[in-house]
Amino acid sequence: MATGAHTVEIPVDVQAVWDYVSDLEKWATTVPAYKEHEIINDQQSIWTFEGSMKGIKKTIQAQVDITEWNEPTNIKFDLKGLSDNFTGSGHFTSEDVNGKTTMTCRVEVRAGGLSGAVLTPIIKWAVPKVASRLTESIARKIEYSHSY
């Protein structure tokens, strides 16, 4: 299993963070290796990622199911590989700390089946980077949108 978690402090109130994070269209393209996504309904979407590692190009599709939606502090989700055998989960949490917001993104991914031996090293390398880059990118976008 691979785990990635990252926390940032954003100089805006928790509702502003929620308004941004709860709208997938605002931040989807900031996910590392993002190629495209398709909204199925309010709780489900299909994400496509494309990247290369050591000269090997790989496209991965995952189904994301929202399992909890608690405004303004918590979004939980499950992941299921459609192109490869993996599962996972994650969450965004926001907490008001003296008028600023502490936001955390946490993602866990487990590879299974025969492809697990191949996927596990890639996942262990990628998941922490994805959590960190995504959280930082969202924080920058929120700060930028509130700096005017």
Side-chain angles (χ1 to χ4, degrees):
M1 178 172 63
T3 301
H6 192 71
T7 300
V8 294
E9 185 177 90
I10 308 170
V12 298
D13 65 47
V14 74
Q15 188 63 47
V17 172
W18 176 265
D19 291 345
Y20 191 86
V21 172
S22 65
D23 184 350
L24 181 70
E25 300 299 330
K26 288 183 179 176
W27 59 267
T29 59
T30 65
V31 178
Y34 171 87
K35 184 177 179 187
E36 63 186 13
H37 71 278
E38 176 188 356
I39 305 292
I40 306 300
N41 58 46
D42 288 347
Q43 284 83 36
Q44 192 173 79
S45 56
I46 306 293
W47 291 67
T48 303
F49 305 95
E50 190 172 81
S52 60
M53 185 174 166
K54 297 182 181 177
I56 299 170
K57 192 173 183 180
K58 178 83 173 143
T59 300
I60 295 174
Q61 272 200 322
Q63 178 177 310
V64 179
D65 294 317
I66 303 295
T67 58
E68 249 181 73
W69 191 267
N70 299 315
E71 183 175 350
T73 59
N74 190 22
I75 299 171
K76 289 187 179 180
F77 56 90
D78 287 337
L79 303 168
K80 178 184 176 189
L82 301 177
S83 60
D84 297 273
N85 188 355
F86 65 88
T87 59
S89 62
H91 66 259
F92 283 101
T93 57
S94 299
E95 181 182 0
D96 178 47
V97 180
N98 300 323
K100 297 179 181 178
T101 301
T102 300
M103 182 182 77
T104 300
C105 173
R106 180 177 176 84
V107 180
E108 294 180 351
V109 179
R110 293 166 292 289
L114 295 175
S115 63
V118 174
L119 283 178
T120 296
I122 296 168
I123 289 171
K124 284 188 175 184
W125 174 82
V127 169
K129 289 178 178 16
V130 167
S132 175
R133 289 180 187 164
L134 176 60
T135 307
E136 291 291 337
S137 178
I138 288 173
R140 281 192 304 275
K141 288 189 176 282
I142 292 170
E143 285 183 58
Y144 178 77
S145 69
H146 284 83
S147 64
Y148 292 99

